[in-house]
Amino acid sequence: MYLFANATIYLGLALAIYSLLIITLGISTKNQKLINSGKGGVIGILVCASMAMFSLFYLLATSQFQYEYVTDYTSSELPVIYKLTALWAGNSGSLLLWTFFLVLYTVMVSFSRKMRGNPMVPYISAILLGNIVFFFLILGFVAKPFVLLDQVPIEGHGLNPMLQNPGMIIHPVTLYLGYVGLAIPFAYAMAALLLKNVDDFWIKMTRRWTIIAWLFLSLGNIFGGQWAYVELGWGGYWAWDPVENASFMPWLTATAFLHSVMIQERKNMLKIWNIGLIITSYALTLFGTFLVRSGVLTSVHAFANSNLGLYFLIFMGVMVIGALYVLMSRYNLLKRSAGEFNSYISKESSFLINNLLLVGSAFGVFWGTVFPLVSEAVRGTKVTVGMPFFNTVQAPILLSMMFLMAVCPLLAWQRSSLKNLKKNFLIPAILAVAAMALMVVLGIQKAWAVIGFGLIVLLFITHFLEFYRGVKARRKMTNEKIYLSLYRLMTKNRRRYGGYIVHIGIAFIAMGIIGSQNYDVQTMKTVNLGDSIELRDYRINYERLDQKKEGINDIVYAEMTVFKNGKRIGSIQPEKVFYGNWDQPSSEVGLISSLKEDLYVVLSDWEDNGKATFIVKINPMITWLWIGSFMIVIGSLFAVWNGKYQNITPRYTGVRKEVS
């Protein structure tokens, strides 16, 4: 198995180098046979990557402790599902997963039926193969997944308890699919520039790829936040941790890209900006990997210190410098073909402002993340940037984006007249202001919260009006029933209405963020058996402290009954788990959720006589954050489902088309 497993890595590397060189030679000589040979090599690379993945899965599942990776991240007592997911618990395994996804995407693009015979394909394949060669070099010579130990241990070290959670089964996979997915539009953009195709063909062909990558990045952040909420025991879902920021920054720039490409498609504008955005998004995926694997910043999410970060930094530099060189060499061509804005009050302008806010948000996150490194380099002291900085910077940006999302659907392309603005916005604005006044009367008096909830109400109203007016106009022409008319209206323009669903989902997420950040309460109290803890409307009776054993793990737990306004609403069992092969225990929180708020209880400490200390927290509106996340998924899938490509042929045909 050792020889076979390592052979898959080195054979994959050899095939990747061969395919890259032969396709590059085929492009330069315009020889389709060479290009086809290189594309055939891509299939071979996929076989090698798949066999390497299968080999490591097998070694992990069967506890082959003679392998260093298996010993470091599994134990014989570990459930099989966590033995398998340990594949992405360490550097080499997670990079193997990344490589597999990258090769899989490359095969899908290289043999795409929609792109058959298109002269862009060899360029796209070559760019992606450059990435594949780098990752195979890392797997072959730096982070080797199949290293044998000199002495075979009796037992493995086990998996980090924080990773033994269902969220960690899905979170890394979705995040890597998002990271790798952004390499596809980057490769298309570079191929279009190299071929001097400055139209929007590459954007139309990558629209679905970009939305899918954005969706996976969204899911990765969502599952990561949910994992942090239930596993880390601090009562929050986002701490502006450097590794959290690493996945959030490309999400922001990819979001900006998805909006600004619509302006290029409709108005032939922002061409240079769009290519700059996709280069930035791609670079940020590599930068995030550098942060996770370099050890330069402290994070509960990061891998152990290694020299991998330097390799990723060098590779990122090479790719970004190369991309910027290609962009600047085509700058005049892009500039000559660009359109212009006709009015500051238009849908185009709102999209541009939205882009500036998203990029500004990404820069704020970037600066706060790297500032400790900058301060250490300049002053010799690492100054940590905490949550207050990020919240202060991001809160007004979030509110501004909520306002733009609310007003954008009712703005016209090219120019909106004052008469139309008054007609479209007067009633929604009055209703939003009335809702804000009602909030103040009901006791919501923090200014940021009132403004935020008011903007969310405005967004709901304007988006409802968009659906209402569309259905009304359609029924006037077709006499269809309401539900049939709504269905056909949405399916005729999936991208538009899928986007509206995503906007509503983001509004729900904003509700959860505003509520939980402004109105959460917390107490820590030490109580005896039989005593109660009271917080707002809740009374929590502490009834029992006991312990149990699960495999080699010892679990100390408390049984508690929860009352709200004097009525029993359930029982909770906060736990502290001591793992037999891990030094630090982990907390399993007691949680009761509702649409209004979450009751969140952590067992912090205890004594032999049963006296225990609990952290009790009330987190308002957290459930809306998860509901909004679900709506983002629904909206994204709706936008890409059964989407159709437009038959556009680029002007340049320097490579002979393949024979179908």
Side-chain angles (χ1 to χ4, degrees):
M1 174 61 79
Y2 171 75
L3 293 175
F4 173 79
N6 278 285
T8 61
I9 300 295
Y10 294 110
L11 180 58
L13 173 60
L15 285 172
I17 294 173
Y18 166 79
S19 296
L20 175 59
L21 293 176
I22 206 71
I23 287 180
T24 304
L25 182 60
I27 292 172
S28 63
T29 61
K30 300 180 182 179
N31 188 325
Q32 190 64 43
K33 290 184 179 180
L34 295 179
I35 292 172
N36 289 339
S37 177
K39 290 175 63 178
V42 173
I43 297 294
I45 301 169
L46 178 61
V47 173
C48 290
S50 301
M51 290 298 98
M53 284 273 291
F54 174 80
S55 298
L56 191 51
F57 272 133
Y58 172 78
L59 297 175
L60 291 166
T62 55
S63 299
Q64 302 290 319
F65 294 129
Q66 66 269 32
Y67 289 88
E68 182 181 33
Y69 192 86
V70 179
T71 299
D72 286 346
Y73 298 105
T74 67
S75 62
S76 56
E77 296 288 336
L78 197 66
V80 173
I81 184 63
Y82 291 122
K83 287 183 179 180
L84 294 175
T85 56
L87 186 139
W88 45 85
N91 263 322
S92 56
S94 61
L95 288 173
L96 178 58
L97 178 68
W98 187 309
T99 305
F100 171 76
F101 287 150
L102 182 57
V103 176
L104 182 63
Y105 279 176
T106 303
V107 170
M108 294 171 69
V109 171
S110 298
F111 293 91
S112 169
R113 181 175 58 86
K114 300 293 183 182
M115 293 290 289
R116 183 178 298 169
N118 193 293
M120 289 178 65
V121 172
Y123 291 84
I124 296 167
S125 300
I127 293 165
L128 294 174
L129 279 165
N131 286 263
I132 293 171
V133 168
F134 168 75
F135 279 93
F136 267 114
L137 282 170
I138 294 294
L139 291 173
F141 300 101
V142 184
K144 303 177 183 180
F146 304 107
V147 175
L148 287 173
L149 295 171
D150 295 331
Q151 293 183 337
V152 181
I154 298 175
E155 185 56 86
H157 300 153
L159 185 65
N160 188 329
M162 291 191 299
L163 302 182
Q164 297 181 39
N165 179 276
M168 282 294 107
I169 298 174
I170 307 172
H171 164 66
V173 175
T174 52
L175 207 57
Y176 290 174
L177 284 168
Y179 276 162
V180 177
L182 287 177
I184 305 302
F186 169 79
Y188 269 87
M190 293 300 102
L193 289 180
L194 289 169
L195 287 167
K196 299 183 179 179
N197 293 332
V198 295
D199 53 25
D200 59 359
F201 173 80
W202 72 272
I203 285 177
K204 294 181 184 299
M205 296 307 298
T206 58
R207 180 188 302 150
R208 185 180 296 180
W209 282 108
T210 308
I211 294 175
I212 290 173
W214 180 88
L215 172 60
F216 279 126
L217 271 179
S218 302
L219 288 171
N221 286 313
I222 290 164
F223 284 117
Q226 197 275 338
W227 165 80
Y229 186 63
V230 302
E231 188 66 29
L232 298 185
W234 64 288
Y237 44 84
W238 196 266
W240 298 108
D241 177 278
V243 177
E244 293 174 345
N245 296 345
S247 61
F248 187 49
M249 288 185 287
W251 184 89
L252 288 169
T253 54
T255 305
F257 176 75
L258 283 171
H259 285 81
S260 63
V261 293
M262 287 189 275
I263 302 178
Q264 181 172 339
E265 289 181 58
R266 284 179 172 266
K267 302 299 176 183
N268 202 34
M269 296 184 294
L270 301 181
K271 291 184 175 183
I272 298 172
W273 175 262
N274 286 332
I275 293 176
L277 278 178
I278 202 59
I279 292 173
T280 303
S281 300
Y282 168 75
L284 285 173
T285 65
L286 297 176
F287 177 74
T289 311
F290 158 73
L291 285 181
V292 174
R293 301 172 195 280
S294 63
V296 296
L297 294 172
T298 303
S299 168
V300 297
H301 309 271
F303 294 100
N305 291 359
S306 72
N307 60 347
L308 275 175
L310 178 61
Y311 293 101
F312 274 93
L313 198 60
I314 293 171
F315 180 68
M316 179 181 69
V318 170
M319 295 301 290
V320 171
I321 291 171
L324 291 177
Y325 172 78
V326 173
L327 173 59
M328 294 310 297
S329 68
R330 304 294 189 265
Y331 179 82
N332 290 329
L333 187 63
L334 290 164
K335 189 176 181 180
R336 283 200 304 268
S337 61
E340 296 181 355
F341 283 98
N342 295 321
S343 172
Y344 291 109
I345 305 176
S346 62
K347 199 180 289 289
E348 299 98 301
S349 296
S350 70
F351 275 31
L352 178 59
I353 297 171
N354 175 71
N355 263 233
L356 295 174
L357 288 171
L358 287 165
V359 172
S361 176
F363 178 78
V365 176
F366 176 82
W367 179 244
T369 303
V370 302
F371 186 78
L373 302 179
V374 175
S375 65
E376 186 176 29
V378 175
R379 301 176 57 187
T381 303
K382 184 177 288 188
V383 179
T384 303
V385 177
M387 290 180 64
F389 167 81
F390 290 103
N391 290 339
T392 301
V393 171
Q394 298 299 324
I397 293 177
L398 172 64
L399 294 181
S400 300
M401 287 193 292
M402 294 301 300
F403 174 75
L404 283 175
M405 283 192 291
V407 303
C408 183
L410 302 184
L411 291 173
W413 290 100
Q414 292 187 331
R415 187 183 301 273
S416 293
S417 66
L418 292 177
K419 181 179 179 181
N420 285 336
L421 286 175
K422 182 179 178 181
K423 176 183 176 182
N424 289 333
F425 290 111
L426 182 60
I427 294 177
I430 291 172
L431 292 175
V433 171
M436 293 167 68
L438 180 61
M439 291 174 205
V440 174
V441 172
L442 294 176
I444 302 176
Q445 297 182 349
K446 291 186 178 181
W448 284 115
V450 173
I451 295 171
F453 286 131
L455 291 174
I456 290 169
V457 170
L458 180 64
L459 185 149
F460 287 149
I461 294 171
T462 57
H463 281 63
F464 170 78
L465 287 175
E466 274 292 278
F467 283 91
Y468 170 76
R469 290 168 179 168
V471 170
K472 183 179 179 181
R474 184 176 178 87
R475 292 190 71 204
K476 187 175 181 180
M477 293 185 297
T478 63
N479 292 321
E480 296 170 339
K481 293 183 178 180
I482 292 178
Y483 294 115
L484 179 61
S485 182
L486 176 63
Y487 170 77
R488 289 180 175 172
L489 174 73
M490 294 176 65
T491 53
K492 290 291 184 181
N493 198 336
R494 291 179 173 273
R495 186 182 182 188
R496 179 182 183 184
Y497 289 99
Y500 288 162
I501 295 171
V502 171
H503 285 180
I504 295 170
I506 291 175
F508 281 137
I509 291 175
M511 284 173 54
I513 293 172
I514 294 170
S516 62
Q517 292 293 318
N518 288 278
Y519 295 98
D520 62 317
V521 293
Q522 177 178 313
T523 186
M524 176 184 285
K525 191 172 183 180
T526 301
V527 292
N528 294 308
L529 283 169
D531 289 348
S532 298
I533 302 173
E534 295 188 2
L535 186 64
R536 282 189 180 168
D537 300 331
Y538 292 93
R539 188 179 83 251
I540 306 158
N541 292 348
Y542 171 37
E543 298 178 348
R544 183 186 175 199
L545 182 71
D546 207 343
Q547 67 180 63
K548 58 185 177 180
K549 198 170 187 66
E550 289 185 359
I552 62 173
N553 303 330
D554 293 308
I555 301 175
V556 178
Y557 63 95
E559 291 185 356
M560 312 181 82
T561 304
V562 181
F563 296 84
K564 186 175 183 181
N565 295 320
K567 182 180 179 181
R568 186 181 186 277
I569 60 172
S571 299
I572 56 174
Q573 187 173 293
E575 301 176 348
K576 190 75 75 173
V577 184
F578 294 84
Y579 292 83
N581 50 13
W582 205 264
D583 294 334
Q584 297 295 324
S586 69
S587 296
E588 296 294 331
V589 303
L591 188 66
I592 293 181
S593 297
S594 68
L595 291 177
K596 181 182 178 183
E597 61 197 10
D598 282 9
L599 177 68
Y600 187 99
V601 181
V602 180
L603 174 61
S604 179
D605 198 8
W606 61 92
E607 299 176 11
D608 292 339
N609 61 4
K611 181 182 288 187
T613 301
F614 297 93
I615 299 171
V616 181
K617 189 170 184 180
I618 298 174
N619 291 321
M621 307 187 78
I622 288 288
T623 300
W624 291 103
L625 196 150
W626 314 130
I627 292 173
S629 302
F630 177 75
M631 292 194 67
I632 284 178
V633 175
I634 296 298
S636 300
L637 292 176
F638 184 83
V640 300
W641 197 267
N642 287 334
K644 297 186 182 298
Y645 291 99
Q646 295 187 19
N647 294 321
I648 301 175
T649 303
R651 295 189 298 252
Y652 180 84
T653 54
V655 178
R656 181 173 55 84
K657 292 186 177 182
E658 303 171 42
V659 178
S660 301

